Amino acid sequence: MGLVDLAMVGRLGPAAIGAVGIGSVLFLAVVVFGIGMLLGLDTVVARAYGRGRLGECRRWLVQGTCLALALSLPLTLVAGAVAASLDRWGLEPAVERLAVPYFSIVLLSVLPLLLYTAFRRYLQASGLATQVTAALITANAINAAANWLLVFGNLGLPALGVDGAGWATCVSRVYLASFLAVAILLHARRSPAGPWPRLRPERRRLRRLVALGLPAAAQVTLEFGVFAAVTALAGRLEAVTLAAHQIVLNVASVTFMVPQGVGAAGAVRVGHAAGRRDPSGVRRAGWAALALGGGFMSAAAVFFVATPHPILRLYTSDPAVMRVGVTLLLVAAFFQLFDGLQAVATGALRGLGDTRTPMVSNLAGHWIVGLPVGYVLCFGAGWGIVGLWVGLSIGLTFVGAALVLIWWRRTRSPSH
């Protein structure tokens, strides 16, 4: 969806690309905490499913829904505060003028995004990922159509420009949550698990979700936050540089979706095996996921190096943006493998119920090593945006290598 948004507004110029990029990244930097809080559903639902306790899976979904509802208001308020403070971030004036209203529109989608997350975790952990795939494919079509209508004012609608991309995002997220809610209810009719539990919070289960989710939330916030911080720092540079940064970040985010999905599958399969008390199944599931994620990202790295210009032309024809973008794609190619390995290893460890180790690794790799190095290279050594990306690359390499080593140590013993 982010690829479509940027490709659509790319026709409006570098400032529009930068505004959508900054607005999206900073919004998700806040909301990703709530998404992370719901990742504990991977562990508890997968283990319950592995033991054949379908009614238990439903009870965990109800508590995940309660948690999503409780998180939506405070996160919306925090996102609103960030939107109101953008005029003090030192952004390029043309970018700031477009980013503030875009951000204010997108923050209306916090609740549907969190509900979608809870529903998705339940369906994936229950082996029902096909419904999630169908929801996302159709939501992308709806998002593209809404962008075409609202950004450019087709079929007699007003041309809202960057704001239209924000409204398209809101519409697609409401659709995603609604689609998965209907999918869950339809599946429930064919399930022998009995009636649904009532939608009311249970302290014991919520405490378990928070205990698992809080480190996961901190981990994804630290990981996504470092990209948000780099984007904010890039916002101090000229609009052309920010546009190139946002385009390449979007491309890298698209390839990252594959190991992210493989990591989610790894969490589910590891959780199923742990629920069956099958140590060899745990090891096979985790290593298979790491091989798939690492293999794909190695191929993505080759693709970045071999075809930088065709990739960038999907977003822009501006020669200055293309020139900076080619260099950034080469840096992105270097960290593809490690980015994929850390995403998959994080999922595999989550299947074992370990959400703290990825949090500590992200704190050390990104915030203690990567971001400070990138800042010094960008503003101290005069490397500009390339320096920030080199810092990102160093941080991702550290995190990826550390988490694979930890997975190996955790699972080499026959008792795991």
Side-chain angles (χ1 to χ4, degrees):
M1 289 189 187
L3 186 152
V4 170
D5 289 347
L6 281 183
M8 290 283 188
V9 302
R11 305 177 193 178
L12 305 179
I17 296 175
V20 170
I22 282 185
S24 299
V25 168
L26 294 182
F27 168 81
L28 288 174
V30 175
V31 180
V32 78
F33 179 85
I35 293 173
M37 287 292 292
L38 296 165
L39 291 180
L41 288 169
D42 282 353
T43 303
V44 294
V45 176
R47 290 195 172 192
Y49 187 84
R51 295 180 182 128
R53 299 176 181 174
L54 303 183
E56 186 82 354
C57 295
R58 289 185 178 182
R59 284 189 284 274
W60 282 118
L61 171 61
V62 168
Q63 297 312 302
T65 303
C66 290
L67 185 57
L69 292 170
L71 290 168
S72 61
L73 179 58
L75 288 176
T76 300
L77 294 175
V78 172
V82 173
S85 70
L86 284 180
D87 60 340
R88 298 190 291 274
W89 286 54
L91 301 177
E92 179 81 15
V95 173
E96 179 194 320
R97 185 172 61 254
L98 297 172
V100 172
Y102 172 82
F103 198 147
S104 301
I105 293 167
V106 172
L107 66 84
L108 299 175
S109 67
V110 171
L111 177 58
L113 183 57
L114 293 181
L115 289 174
Y116 157 75
T117 301
F119 300 159
R120 172 179 178 154
R121 305 332 294 188
Y122 166 80
L123 287 166
Q124 289 181 172
S126 301
L128 301 170
T130 302
Q131 287 87 332
V132 180
T133 304
L136 287 168
I137 290 173
T138 52
N140 269 275
I142 288 172
N143 182 57
N147 269 286
W148 182 77
L149 290 170
L150 298 175
V151 172
F152 305 111
N154 287 303
L155 300 183
L157 293 175
L160 301 179
V162 168
D163 290 0
W167 287 115
T169 296
C170 289
V171 168
S172 62
R173 287 175 179 165
V174 170
Y175 169 82
L176 277 171
S178 303
F179 187 107
L180 292 192
V182 172
I184 290 169
L185 293 175
L186 290 176
H187 181 264
R189 292 184 178 181
R190 304 188 298 270
S191 172
W196 278 93
R198 294 171 60 186
L199 184 63
R200 63 181 181 185
E202 299 178 31
R203 288 185 180 180
R204 180 181 65 83
R205 292 182 187 275
L206 282 175
R207 281 199 299 268
R208 172 67 170 153
L209 280 181
V210 170
L212 286 168
L214 193 57
Q219 176 258 313
V220 294
T221 301
L222 288 168
E223 181 180 356
F224 202 92
V226 76
F227 286 94
V230 168
T231 298
L233 291 172
R236 300 181 181 182
L237 307 174
E238 61 271 18
V240 165
T241 300
L242 176 60
H245 160 83
Q246 193 54 51
I247 288 171
V248 177
L249 182 60
N250 186 255
V251 172
S253 299
V254 171
T255 58
F256 177 74
M257 290 300 99
V258 174
Q260 182 86 331
V262 173
V268 170
R269 299 294 287 177
V270 168
H272 287 175
R276 296 192 306 268
R277 295 175 174 83
D278 177 8
S280 63
V282 166
R283 288 192 291 273
R284 285 196 305 271
W287 284 115
L290 284 165
L292 287 169
F296 174 84
M297 292 300 265
S298 297
V302 174
F303 183 65
F304 284 6
V305 173
T307 60
H309 290 91
I311 292 172
L312 294 169
R313 275 195 290 270
L314 294 173
Y315 297 85
T316 183
S317 58
D318 188 305
V321 175
M322 295 273 288
R323 188 165 51 252
V324 179
V326 168
T327 303
L328 296 185
L329 271 175
L330 294 177
V331 181
F334 176 81
F335 67 65
Q336 288 296 286
L337 173 61
F338 295 97
D339 199 13
L341 291 177
Q342 66 88 17
V344 177
T346 296
L349 288 168
R350 190 165 68 245
L352 290 178
D354 182 0
T355 53
R356 289 178 174 80
T357 300
M359 175 192 70
V360 174
S361 298
N362 273 270
L363 176 62
H366 290 311
W367 291 91
I368 297 177
V369 179
L371 186 61
V373 169
Y375 185 90
V376 170
L377 291 176
C378 176
F379 297 104
W383 289 21
I385 191 65
V386 175
L388 289 173
W389 276 72
V390 169
L392 280 178
S393 183
I394 291 171
L396 286 166
T397 302
F398 177 95
V399 176
L403 289 179
V404 171
L405 177 62
I406 290 164
W407 168 257
W408 174 73
R409 295 184 63 182
R410 285 287 307 272
T411 58
R412 64 177 175 169
S413 169
S415 62
H416 289 86

